[in-house]
Amino acid sequence: QVRVMESGGDFVQAGGSPRLSCAASGNIFEIRDWGWYRQLPGSQRDLVATITRSGGTNYADSVKGRFTISKDDAKRTLYLQMNSLKPEDSAVYFCYARMLPRGMGMMMDDYWGQGTQVTVSS
């Protein structure tokens, strides 16, 4: 079974700089794309940042210049460096990966972590 699991969420003060991690595990043939999404209370799940297999990145306007997405292909791990946090950044952050499991007849599919809570206090 393949999966992704995020970690690093916590209570932080405004202006803090935590880093989230997301580890992919299982019998994976290929990871095509990665992304971070977040869900604010009463809102839909929104894109935060994405990174392609080749390293191209994209950011939501609300985090551009403050957050940095990166990955370590050898470790199959995704990161989100969060700087200058604001209270409005408080949300459940989800890791996403589009992956192809190794095995006969397997198809590329989207995988989501369970989410990690980031709470930013004033």
Side-chain angles (χ1 to χ4, degrees):
Q1 180 180 346
V2 300
R3 64 176 294 189
V4 292
M5 185 173 67
E6 56 274 88
S7 62
D10 208 342
F11 296 93
V12 297
Q13 292 182 304
S17 302
R19 187 176 73 163
L20 305 183
S21 299
C22 175
S25 61
N27 197 0
I28 302 167
F29 181 80
E30 178 186 354
I31 302 175
R32 182 64 56 83
D33 300 295
W34 294 95
W36 288 100
Y37 292 72
R38 68 185 182 187
Q39 187 166 7
L40 282 67
S43 300
Q44 302 295 313
R45 188 176 299 182
D46 297 322
L47 183 148
V48 175
T50 60
I51 185 166
T52 67
R53 188 180 184 182
S54 62
T57 59
N58 186 58
Y59 296 90
D61 288 341
S62 59
V63 306
K64 190 174 183 179
R66 298 190 297 122
F67 292 7
T68 302
I69 188 171
S70 62
K71 62 187 178 73
D72 186 328
D73 290 334
K75 297 182 180 295
R76 288 180 169 173
T77 302
L78 178 74
Y79 304 98
L80 184 68
Q81 179 64 59
M82 309 167 69
N83 296 325
S84 302
L85 281 182
K86 307 173 182 178
E88 50 263 44
D89 293 318
S90 297
V92 178
Y93 284 73
F94 296 89
C95 174
Y96 154 85
R98 186 163 179 81
M99 302 191 292
L100 176 64
R102 188 182 304 276
M104 185 171 57
M106 299 301 295
M107 299 287 290
M108 193 80 69
D109 204 359
D110 300 325
Y111 295 84
W112 293 87
Q114 65 181 357
T116 185
Q117 178 72 50
V118 175
T119 301
V120 184
S121 61
S122 301

